[in-house]
Amino acid sequence: MKLAVIGHPIKQSKSPFMHTIWLGELGISGSYEAKDILPEALAGEVKALVKGGYDGWNVTIPHKEAIIPLLDEVDEQAAVLGAVNTVIVKDGRLIGKNTDGTGFMKSLLLKRTAVDIAGSRVCIIGAGGAAKGIAGALVPYQPKSLSIANRTVSKGERLLNSLIINGEKSALTMDEAEAQLDEFDIVINTTSVGMVPDTDQTPINMTRVKKNSLAADIIYNPLQTAFLKQASEGGADTLNGVGMFVYQGATAFEEWTGEKPDAEKMIKRISESIGGT
Ligand code: NAP
């Protein structure tokens, strides 16, 4: 089995570490490499991957959208999002999928049940690619209300308008989200604010978070972002981005190999490998 992740830059990716361990654990002979591909080289490099006999690859920044015209097929989730993070080569055809949203939901379900989510007022901070995947994956759970706070409010509005949510929906500014914090049961940071090296930053101040609510950050480096630290100090339960990363990878791995890797063990391993940084 020949697998890879393509992106630029790619050095920081934990995907080769994770998938190589899974191939070994499941006794599948093969490899998973990181390939640094510049935007202008994408089309040629995708042809080279097919020629080189690759069975599939993950796609990360900046190629998640640009790869779509190079594929033969994209599934519904990826088409709605306009972003692909997994490519499967099947009978010479390139099939694109997006496993980010379902990866986040599997991670969220470690902390909250489907019934809890249905009874929750949820606020997503951010309206970029990851937010779209997460918002779409939340729809089947029908939260009591859904707010999207974004620096560019019109993007939040557009995303909300594309979702069928029976409860209340509201597009907020960051200041409005901060002022309404005590109303939310689940707050999810999907922005890149707080990621290394800017680890002291938060998209909103979380100190007035509702007690016993859940604050989730999809960033996983550092493991505890300033957003999660403030929320924890304010009395909220927290969830970092390692679970989402591992489950989006596990779903891709299953698509390629037909085998289910041990995601829970991998969450521990990745957390240990990132450590306190
Ligand atoms: P994206 O499409 O570029 O979206 C970025 C979002 O962050 C937008 O909502 C943007 O607001 C907001 N933002 C960026 N800088 C900001 C700032 N200084 N202040 C306020 N808001 C800011 O990126 P993405 O693909 O959604 O990825 C977002 C983050 O999620 C990244 O850190 C990525 O590493 C992480 N991620 C993690 C996983 C995982 O498996 N754990 C998976 C996917 C992504 P505007 O709309 O106003 O520009």
Side-chain angles (χ1 to χ4, degrees):
M1 177 99 356
K2 274 181 95 173
L3 303 168
V5 54
I6 66 168
H8 177 75
I10 200 67
K11 222 174 50 228
Q12 77 297 345
S13 175
K14 289 269 169 209
S15 291
F17 172 83
M18 175 165 78
H19 288 278
T20 303
I21 289 174
W22 281 340
L23 286 170
E25 279 180 353
L26 290 159
I28 301 167
S29 70
S31 59
Y32 186 106
E33 304 152 56
K35 289 194 174 281
D36 198 319
I37 294 177
L38 291 168
E40 56 273 26
L42 183 64
E45 293 290 342
V46 164
K47 277 193 192 136
L49 286 168
V50 178
K51 234 176 154 184
Y54 281 80
D55 298 291
W57 55 88
N58 283 126
V59 184
T60 187
I61 292 168
H63 305 311
K64 286 186 173 186
E65 291 169 20
I67 198 158
I68 293 178
L70 307 174
L71 305 176
D72 297 301
E73 203 182 299
V74 289
D75 76 352
E76 201 191 323
Q77 176 83 347
V80 171
L81 300 175
V84 159
N85 77 338
T86 304
V87 174
I88 301 136
V89 183
K90 203 173 174 193
D91 305 324
R93 287 175 61 76
L94 302 186
I95 302 160
K97 298 196 178 232
N98 193 308
T99 65
D100 278 340
T102 50
F104 176 78
M105 288 313 299
K106 283 186 183 167
S107 171
L108 180 62
L109 288 166
L110 298 175
K111 290 279 187 178
R112 292 290 184 271
T113 66
V115 174
D116 293 335
I117 298 166
S120 294
R121 294 187 172 277
V122 178
C123 179
I124 296 176
I125 304 170
K132 284 187 196 167
I134 289 170
L138 264 170
V139 169
Y141 294 85
Q142 286 295 321
K144 201 165 163 189
S145 73
L146 180 63
S147 301
I148 297 180
N150 198 41
R151 179 176 61 178
T152 317
V153 179
S154 58
K155 274 173 70 181
E157 259 163 20
R158 222 173 310 138
L159 174 52
L160 270 176
N161 288 338
S162 71
L163 304 169
I164 299 170
I165 296 281
N166 301 326
E168 210 181 294
K169 300 196 277 190
S170 55
L172 306 174
T173 63
M174 295 292 199
D175 286 346
E176 285 167 342
E178 205 174 295
Q180 292 174 30
L181 257 186
D182 58 349
E183 293 172 20
F184 301 125
D185 305 296
I186 301 175
V187 183
I188 308 159
N189 176 35
T190 72
T191 74
S192 45
V193 181
M195 203 165 69
V196 282
D198 302 314
T199 54
D200 57 338
Q201 293 180 18
T202 61
I204 65 171
N205 187 308
M206 289 293 284
T207 44
R208 290 185 46 237
V209 69
K210 185 175 173 180
K211 294 239 175 327
N212 303 317
S213 64
L214 177 70
D217 200 324
I218 68 166
I219 291 171
Y220 58 85
N221 198 0
L223 291 177
Q224 193 193 40
T225 56
F227 171 90
L228 293 183
K229 190 163 185 283
Q230 284 178 356
S232 177
E233 285 163 2
D237 189 11
T238 62
L239 175 68
N240 68 29
V242 178
M244 173 177 175
F245 172 71
V246 170
Y247 285 116
Q248 63 74 32
T251 308
F253 189 91
E254 263 187 87
E255 293 277 356
W256 296 320
T257 66
E259 301 275 350
K260 201 174 157 64
D262 188 336
E264 286 71 28
K265 195 162 89 189
M266 185 57 69
I267 291 173
K268 283 204 193 103
R269 282 185 96 139
I270 300 245
S271 303
E272 280 163 15
S273 91
I274 295 172
T277 56

